[in-house]
Amino acid sequence: MSTGPNRVLGLELARFRYSGASRDTLSGINLSLAPGSLTVVLGNSGSGKSTLGAVLAGMLPRHDGDALDATLHLAGQRIHHRPGAAVRIDPVGWARQVGLLPQDARHYLSGVRATVAEELALGLENAGVPRAQMHRRIAALADRLELHALLERDPAQLSGGQERLVALAALALDAPAVLVLDEPLAGLDAAVAARICELLDRLRSGGTALVLLARAVDRLAAGADTVLALREGSCHELDTAVPADAAPVAPAVRRAPGTRDEVLLGFSGVGIGYPGSARPVVEGLELTVRAGECVGLAGPNGSGKTTVLKAAAGLLCPSAGQVRGKSLAAGTVGLLLQNPSDQLFERTVAREVAFGLPRRGPAAARIPAVLDSLGLREHAQAHPYELPASSRRLVALATVLVREPEVLLLDEPTEALDADGLALLHAALAAVLDRGGAVLLATHDEAFMAATAHRVHRMGPAVAARVRDRTGGPG
Amino acid sequence: MPRTCRLHPFTVLALAAAATATTVAAGRWWLSVAVLLACLLLAAWARRARRLAGLAAAILAPAFGSQLLIHSMADTAGGHVLAAAGPLRITAEGLATAGALGLRTGVLVVAGLLCTLLVDRHDLVAAVDLSPAPPQLGYLLAATLLLLPALEQRQRAIGQAQLLRGATPGGGPRGWFRRVRLRSVPLVLGALQDAADRSAHLAARGFPAAGPHTRLREVPDSAAQRRVRRIALACIVLGPVAVLAPTWAGAA
Ligand SMILES: Nc1ncnc2c1ncn2[C@@H]1O[C@H](COP(=O)(O)OP(=O)(O)OP(=O)(O)O)[C@@H](O)[C@H]1O
Ligand SMILES: [Mg+2]
């Protein structure tokens, strides 16, 4: 160590303001990361966690007018940013020290590689690591995370959880001294999450400093050395003894399934596959959802939950069996997608919610009420992409709720949702059940599942995992 | 399932270039026809014959049409007039010129298209990355070759999102126009947003590489293929020379 204090990364931040913004996003934050330490930054959506993560990872300030007043200490160097005089940062050199997992893990995936193995290797390739060594390191990591079945897959065709797993694996492979992880366990099944925790523990004992950006204390955050609570961009230090149940508590909305027995959605012997994949992802699915009922879909990553929901909404055609129920065209089925960026495409929230609605119809008249009920009124003219992740998911929910669907399909609805958002989601769910509708939801969030689902349908392990041996000896 | 050949992309490209250069220079109709047939047979082996025919027709039909117009209908030099209407004359010589030129264009287009169908674009990018070419070239190639599939995927996602809001464009030409109108703006804005979201992470992972770099992907190659490539390169230079030299000699 060349510098006196035993730290890999230090930050003294006076303030940060995005170009064109009217107020500071961050102010008065001090951080000092020792090797092997775990720092948890807790904050609601919009509190500035992701901005802090990007500053630590050297991705902010951008060259066009972001104002950062801060001093960073990294690898024995002192980097002094002043508003209007930001230091130019070498992204590769910085990333060798600090790696960042973004909240939407898909942004980490390059989109320029054909297979997951190549995607994992991208950083090593560009550093000039010889091929044999890359193969060795990927194989070792794949053993540890059990991702052999994914290695030959196309990174553009992964399930939501698989995307995050691959991004985490790629980061771990590059082995920077500091890892900044934005909600690393969101959307991962229990087994995968356990393997990731184990991997992070190993990295920590090897001297990697971890920074965890989170909405609530989860099992990863439980062993934190330092916990910072971020509110409106400034920082309040907590003592390490944070109660483990600081997670947003869900109000109990479990209610007895309605007395009506009408089947709103039914799968009988349904098989669904994707073009180009050898065998169907879902086979022989039997499931009925009745009026007044909330059914949960559980299962490991890649087991086909999203696939089933998309088939229920009519986005995918089953290759076998049949899906009974009201049709999407009649506006009685509404699906909230796993990743809001797949659902939002308009320029403002108001246009987004109004898309496709007849201008004088009853649904269009409901828009203001729906925006109000989800707390989106003041964002009506904002671009959905400028909103914090929680509000963005609520915008996607608004586009669904404005049609008053009879069957509400939810795919990992609690991902990125903060406590306020969660309460709104519970209310929306209850409203659908109250008016005699039904809900089918897929989630890895066990607390949410327990608080909402009347019964849970478990999906089998991923097909890919079942044919694992196939990849043992590539020809 | 389409079949792909386990050949180095440069081998395929060199062979195609050699065949095209020689054929175009020779200007013999039977040679052009033979090369065209060979291309079709190769495409049939790769189970892509229909696709090749469709793409080639889409490109060549307008080209043939204009050549026919220019050379046969408006030909003023030819003596064997087959039909005439006012200033328009169809002459045998004009038809022959149009046919010969059309065949050469056909060889050029069909051979080029066949390359795009036979060569795996990831192999091609890897081959360029592994060659001594500057890394920026590989980056440019990756950006252009992979842009279309990425846009296609994004377009599909937008279509699904719109379908969820009850927008069903329907079929036929009207449906097509409706689809284009609904999806084009979100597609462009979404693609820009996506590029912005990913670029910082790409840069952090050192892409495009500035210095020496390696690739995990192995591009199939062999000593025999390298020899074939050298011969093909020689053909590209010597073929036209060999064909044209006698005419130059005759003219001198
Ligand atoms: N567009 C696609 N093309 C081919 N395969 C796909 C595609 N989308 C998903 N898959 C694969 O289908 C399987 C099921 O995917 P799905 O998204 O339904 O899983 P999931 O249960 O929702 O997982 P997660 O919990 O990670 O969200 C996975 O193996 C996935 O990799
Ligand atoms: Mg899913």
Side-chain angles (χ1 to χ4, degrees):
Chain A
M1 285 284 132
S2 52
T3 46
N6 180 25
R7 66 177 172 195
V8 276
L9 176 63
L11 169 73
E12 290 136 36
L13 181 146
R15 61 185 200 85
F16 174 81
R17 179 181 300 204
Y18 280 104
S19 128
S22 56
R23 59 182 192 86
D24 292 343
T25 302
L26 297 175
S27 58
I29 295 176
N30 289 318
L31 267 181
S32 178
L33 309 180
S37 64
L38 172 59
T39 308
V40 175
V41 179
L42 282 180
N44 262 341
S45 194
S47 59
K49 276 176 307 176
S50 298
T51 307
L52 178 59
V55 169
L56 290 175
M59 294 181 183
L60 286 175
R62 298 158 299 181
H63 309 303
D64 48 359
D66 292 338
L68 174 63
D69 190 348
T71 306
L72 286 115
H73 305 266
L74 180 65
Q77 282 186 24
R78 192 162 159 276
I79 299 110
H80 202 55
H81 290 285
R82 286 288 162 264
V87 181
R88 214 166 232 291
I89 285 171
D90 160 36
V92 184
W94 196 283
R96 222 163 269 149
Q97 302 296 327
V98 188
L100 170 68
L101 175 78
Q103 185 162 33
D104 186 349
R106 195 187 287 176
H107 294 160
Y108 188 84
L109 303 181
S110 68
V112 295
R113 289 295 185 256
T115 66
V116 167
E118 289 180 76
E119 177 68 45
L120 293 179
L122 184 65
L124 301 180
E125 288 180 340
N126 294 327
V129 176
R131 182 179 288 147
Q133 197 183 334
M134 286 196 280
H135 275 300
R136 237 188 352 264
R137 284 164 72 170
I138 290 175
L141 187 71
D143 279 341
R144 184 153 293 138
L145 294 178
E146 298 190 18
L147 36 80
H148 284 286
L150 287 182
L151 287 183
E152 291 308 312
R153 298 278 307 274
D154 178 352
Q157 298 182 341
L158 298 177
S159 78
Q162 290 166 341
E163 279 176 352
R164 194 178 309 271
L165 173 61
V166 170
L168 272 164
L171 266 173
L173 210 56
D174 290 342
V178 181
L179 275 176
V180 182
L181 308 174
D182 202 339
E183 308 260 356
L185 299 186
L188 296 185
D189 69 48
V192 173
R195 289 197 283 270
I196 290 292
C197 288
E198 206 177 294
L199 174 75
L200 293 179
D201 276 344
R202 275 183 68 98
L203 289 175
R204 250 185 96 185
S205 40
T208 306
L210 294 182
V211 179
L212 212 65
L213 310 177
R215 283 165 293 153
V217 177
D218 56 10
R219 65 168 138 170
L220 246 187
D225 301 311
T226 320
V227 180
L228 296 173
L230 205 58
R231 240 173 284 134
E232 309 246 300
S234 51
C235 209
H236 312 257
E237 192 158 339
L238 299 179
D239 39 65
T240 40
V242 174
D245 60 357
V249 196
V253 294
R254 286 191 68 129
R255 51 191 78 215
T259 42
R260 284 189 285 158
D261 262 2
E262 193 192 347
V263 173
L264 293 185
L265 183 65
F267 295 85
S268 46
V270 168
I272 317 163
Y274 288 95
S277 56
R279 37 183 309 179
V281 172
V282 177
E283 278 179 297
L285 175 69
E286 303 282 345
L287 177 66
T288 48
V289 183
R290 293 170 194 283
E293 199 179 24
C294 175
V295 179
L297 273 181
N301 290 130
S303 57
K305 301 179 294 296
T306 300
T307 309
V308 167
L309 291 175
K310 283 190 170 177
L315 294 182
L316 291 175
C317 266
S319 51
Q322 64 165 335
V323 182
R324 284 164 297 140
K326 302 289 170 51
S327 75
L328 179 72
T332 50
V333 177
L335 167 60
L336 180 71
L337 290 170
Q338 186 163 7
N339 192 331
S341 18
D342 284 337
Q343 196 143 23
L344 304 177
F345 51 86
E346 277 284 4
R347 278 158 281 174
T348 66
V349 171
R351 290 177 61 115
E352 194 73 70
V353 180
F355 179 90
L357 296 178
R359 200 157 299 166
R360 294 185 199 292
R366 277 196 295 268
I367 295 177
V370 168
L371 287 182
D372 270 346
S373 73
L374 295 176
L376 295 170
R377 174 48 82 74
E378 77 264 35
H379 297 313
Q381 292 314 314
H383 194 297
Y385 275 98
E386 291 162 0
L387 299 179
S390 182
S391 311
R392 197 153 62 224
R393 191 170 291 275
L394 291 175
V395 174
L397 185 61
T399 69
V400 177
L401 293 182
V402 75
R403 285 153 209 280
E404 298 209 323
E406 212 167 7
V407 180
L408 181 61
L409 307 168
L410 303 170
D411 199 354
E412 300 293 341
T414 59
E415 224 177 89
L417 217 53
D418 59 17
D420 300 338
L422 193 61
L424 295 170
L425 176 67
H426 276 291
L429 226 143
V432 172
L433 296 180
D434 275 345
R435 61 167 188 262
V439 179
L440 178 61
L441 56 88
T443 183
H444 292 289
D445 183 337
E446 276 159 22
F448 181 72
M449 186 74 104
T452 53
H454 301 127
R455 64 192 165 86
V456 177
H457 178 91
R458 299 210 171 267
M459 316 259 313
V463 172
R466 269 183 265 149
V467 293
R468 208 191 128 171
D469 308 38
R470 189 180 53 88
T471 50
Chain B
M1 275 308 268
R3 242 188 286 194
T4 46
C5 53
R6 298 302 291 156
L7 283 180
H8 194 284
F10 291 170
T11 310
V12 179
L13 292 178
L15 282 175
T20 325
T22 317
T23 321
V24 169
R28 301 284 148 77
W29 66 267
W30 49 267
L31 189 56
S32 304
V33 171
V35 171
L36 280 177
L37 272 179
C39 286
L40 266 180
L41 280 179
L42 272 174
W45 169 82
R47 308 207 176 102
R48 292 303 199 76
R50 207 177 301 162
R51 191 159 168 73
L52 178 67
L55 284 173
I59 297 178
L60 286 177
F64 280 176
S66 62
Q67 268 166 4
L68 211 65
L69 269 180
I70 294 169
H71 293 289
S72 70
M73 311 274 275
D75 183 47
T76 49
H80 293 90
V81 181
L82 301 177
L88 291 183
R89 310 183 321 145
I90 294 184
T91 64
E93 290 83 352
L95 269 184
T97 323
L101 280 177
L103 271 178
R104 287 192 219 183
T105 326
V107 167
L108 209 67
V109 169
V110 170
L113 283 175
L114 185 65
C115 287
T116 67
L117 293 182
L118 289 185
V119 172
D120 180 307
R121 50 182 147 237
H122 287 287
D123 271 348
L124 180 57
V125 173
V128 172
D129 277 346
L130 291 172
S131 74
Q136 287 80 0
L137 187 66
Y139 172 67
L140 256 177
L141 200 68
T144 34
L145 287 181
L146 304 174
L147 181 69
L148 270 184
L151 281 181
E152 168 66 25
Q153 201 186 5
R154 174 119 213 130
Q155 187 269 127
R156 225 175 302 132
I158 293 172
Q160 289 201 341
Q162 295 183 338
L163 201 63
L164 285 176
R165 322 269 187 89
T168 38
R174 281 192 51 200
W176 188 83
F177 274 113
R178 233 177 95 74
R179 232 183 346 255
V180 169
R181 185 173 63 76
L182 284 177
R183 294 185 193 173
S184 46
V185 174
L187 182 61
V188 173
L189 294 181
L192 289 177
Q193 184 70 42
D194 211 44
D197 286 337
R198 288 182 199 247
S199 63
H201 297 285
L202 274 176
R205 297 172 78 186
F207 184 84
H213 51 275
T214 50
R215 286 295 306 257
L216 186 71
R217 174 174 280 250
E218 284 175 71
V219 186
D221 203 1
S222 61
Q225 284 197 55
R226 276 190 287 275
R227 212 170 307 128
V228 167
R229 285 205 292 275
R230 268 198 297 276
I231 297 173
L233 280 182
C235 277
I236 295 175
V237 181
L238 297 181
V241 172
V243 171
L244 296 177
T247 39
W248 290 338

